[in-house]
């Protein structure tokens, strides 16, 4: 019994095509892997891609954080009272709801992508306005991470109130509770 009788021609051709397809797939995946900007293997919607990009911005290690301007309590209090500056609270939403600076919006570092999309209209309106970001104060670096992400996204006048909520509340200045929006 020869090979032709054992395997019909169409089966041999099918195996050849299958081998060619597998070699082509492997070559394509290998080339894509080493491209400067590889194409995603699995489709992601535009919202998912935006979330991924925003999340990448906010998880920058501390040594990559750009120097941002800082403001003291007097300047921060004046900005809050004049309502000429967009005030952003970078703390988690649970802490924001327990108490925050009046007029502040919650742009939490731990849920940055979601909050950024939720505040899209507010942030677009404030593109050319001064923005001050604060968090808990002390060792909290969330405000610097959020400020750095905003600077990267094209906001020009972003400052950080480094003393944060800790000093604001200790100074017995006005506070709001709830989600604030």
């Amino acid at each position: 019994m020869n090979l032709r009788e054992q395997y019909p021609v169409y089966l041999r051709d099918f195996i050849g095509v299958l081998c060619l397809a597998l070699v082509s797939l492997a070559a394509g995946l290998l080339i894509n892997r080493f491209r400067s900007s590889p194409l995603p293997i699995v489709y992601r919607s535009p919202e998912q891609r935006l979330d991924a990009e925003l999340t990448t911005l906010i998880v920058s290690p501390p040594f990559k954080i750009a120097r941002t301007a800082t403001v003291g309590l007097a300047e921060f209090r004046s900005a809050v009272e004049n309502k000429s500056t967009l005030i952003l609270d970078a703390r988690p939403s649970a802490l924001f709801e327990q108490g925050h600076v009046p007029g502040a919006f919650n742009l939490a570092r731990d849920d940055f992508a979601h909050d950024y999309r939720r505040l899209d209209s507010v942030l677009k309106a404030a593109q050319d306005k001064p923005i001050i970001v604060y968090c808990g104060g002390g060792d909290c670096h969330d405000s610097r991470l959020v400020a750095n992400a905003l600077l990267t996204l094209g906001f020009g006048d972003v400052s950080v109130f480094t003393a944060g909520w800790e000093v604001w509340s200790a100074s017995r200045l006005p506070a709001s509770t709830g989600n604030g929006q």
Side-chain angles (χ1 to χ4, degrees):
M1 187 180 244
N2 68 15
L3 190 61
R4 242 179 235 269
E5 292 172 9
Q6 191 175 7
Y7 295 106
V9 174
Y10 66 87
L11 185 58
R12 184 189 62 186
D13 289 346
F14 177 74
I15 292 171
V17 168
L18 185 62
C19 289
L20 182 61
L22 289 175
V23 168
S24 298
L25 177 65
L29 290 173
L30 190 64
I31 290 169
N32 188 48
R33 171 72 176 101
F34 292 107
R35 285 181 47 155
S36 61
S37 59
L39 298 172
I41 302 300
V42 178
Y43 174 77
R44 293 188 314 181
S45 70
E47 291 82 17
Q48 291 170 322
R49 290 193 304 268
L50 176 63
D51 282 355
E53 289 295 321
L54 292 173
T55 301
T56 301
L57 284 175
I58 206 64
V59 294
S60 299
F63 58 86
K64 287 187 176 178
I65 297 175
R67 276 215 172 279
T68 53
T70 57
V71 297
L73 179 60
E75 188 178 349
F76 183 66
R77 183 177 183 180
S78 173
V80 170
E81 289 171 355
N82 293 338
K83 296 181 172 134
S84 59
T85 302
L86 178 63
I87 307 297
L88 298 174
D89 187 330
R91 298 175 303 148
S93 59
L95 294 176
F96 178 82
E97 290 175 6
Q98 290 174 5
H100 58 271
V101 172
F105 291 92
N106 188 219
L107 183 58
R109 184 204 54 84
D110 62 352
D111 202 11
F112 184 79
H114 175 263
D115 286 347
Y116 184 85
R117 283 198 330 256
R118 181 178 49 82
L119 294 174
D120 186 51
S121 61
V122 173
L123 292 168
K124 281 183 180 172
Q127 188 80 29
D128 297 322
K129 284 177 59 177
I131 298 173
I132 300 177
V133 185
Y134 74 92
C135 60
D139 292 333
C140 178
H141 296 289
D142 290 350
S143 56
R144 289 189 184 278
L145 289 166
V146 169
N148 186 56
L150 291 172
L151 288 168
T152 303
L153 290 166
F155 293 87
D157 189 1
V158 181
S159 302
V160 174
F161 174 50
T162 53
W165 176 249
E166 184 180 305
V167 169
W168 181 269
S169 59
S171 301
R172 301 196 185 278
L173 292 167
S176 297
T177 56
N179 69 6
Q181 287 106 46

